[in-house]
Amino acid sequence: MTVDELRDYGIQQMDDEAIENFLSIQHTGILGLPTSGAPYLLPMSYGFDGGSHLYFAFLVEGQSRKAELADQADVGSFLVYNAETMFHWRSVLLQGPIRRLPEDERSKMTEAQTPAWQPELIATASETGETRVYEFQIEESTGISHAIRPPTFFERGSRDATD
């Protein structure tokens, strides 16, 4: 079914402002990088510039498949979602090019561009390991949300009470 066909069930297309607001309050998502087979999927924390770029910090020790794939990729995908309840969830799918930031650009990053949240393991390991920062340029974005209040007992009627 299309989003239009699901409107009666509470599904809504998110506009650009809603997508930007959502990206601003979230901190993690799934990065998809192309391979010769199935996409390589990675859970990632990110920084967001409030406009059209996300930033990822990769901890790289020796060989890194994610860094190798990101360096070779023309385009990637990034999925950000939040499911508060079965009646209230949102998801945003982004597509665009990804590139490694050179050191001179890394040094100019703002606090908002730096991933705000990272697992403790990554934060600790990054103190001794090499970290590379990648910039994801958002060229396409789509978002949907579902926000419907579940029916109360009285709205469902007494039928549920006797079933």
Side-chain angles (χ1 to χ4, degrees):
M1 296 183 95
T2 67
V3 172
D4 286 336
E5 293 171 322
L6 293 171
R7 285 193 196 283
D8 290 343
Y9 300 98
I11 299 292
Q12 296 179 356
Q13 192 81 34
M14 296 169 68
D15 63 18
D16 291 342
E17 183 179 357
I19 289 172
E20 284 185 20
N21 289 338
F22 182 66
L23 292 174
S24 295
I25 62 172
Q26 298 301 307
H27 303 288
T28 59
I30 306 296
L31 177 63
L33 297 171
T35 69
S36 60
Y40 188 66
L41 303 176
L42 297 153
M44 296 293 302
S45 57
Y46 67 90
F48 179 51
D49 69 359
S52 60
H53 294 89
L54 300 179
Y55 298 88
F56 307 112
F58 290 6
L59 180 61
V60 181
E61 290 293 327
Q63 262 190 307
S64 169
R65 184 161 189 222
K66 66 183 169 190
E68 183 180 309
L69 291 171
D71 289 339
Q72 295 170 2
D74 291 327
V75 67
S77 297
F78 195 66
L79 175 67
V80 181
Y81 66 95
N82 181 350
E84 294 173 22
T85 71
M86 68 172 67
F87 300 103
H88 190 264
W89 54 264
R90 295 173 284 183
S91 68
V92 170
L93 178 61
L94 309 169
Q95 292 185 332
I98 186 170
R99 71 177 181 103
R100 185 184 337 177
L101 281 183
E103 192 59 43
D104 63 322
E105 290 183 49
R106 279 181 66 175
S107 64
K108 297 174 187 171
M109 289 178 64
T110 67
E111 187 174 324
Q113 293 168 319
T114 305
W117 181 90
Q118 291 183 336
E120 188 279 330
L121 171 69
I122 302 298
T124 301
S126 66
E127 294 174 8
T128 59
E130 178 188 355
T131 303
R132 295 181 189 166
V133 175
Y134 287 81
E135 177 185 68
F136 182 96
Q137 181 180 344
I138 302 168
E139 288 187 343
E140 293 181 38
S141 63
T142 57
I144 57 173
S145 66
H146 181 252
I148 191 166
R149 179 181 55 81
T152 66
F153 172 79
F154 297 106
E155 291 169 331
R156 287 191 310 257
S158 60
R159 183 180 58 86
D160 289 347
T162 58
D163 288 344

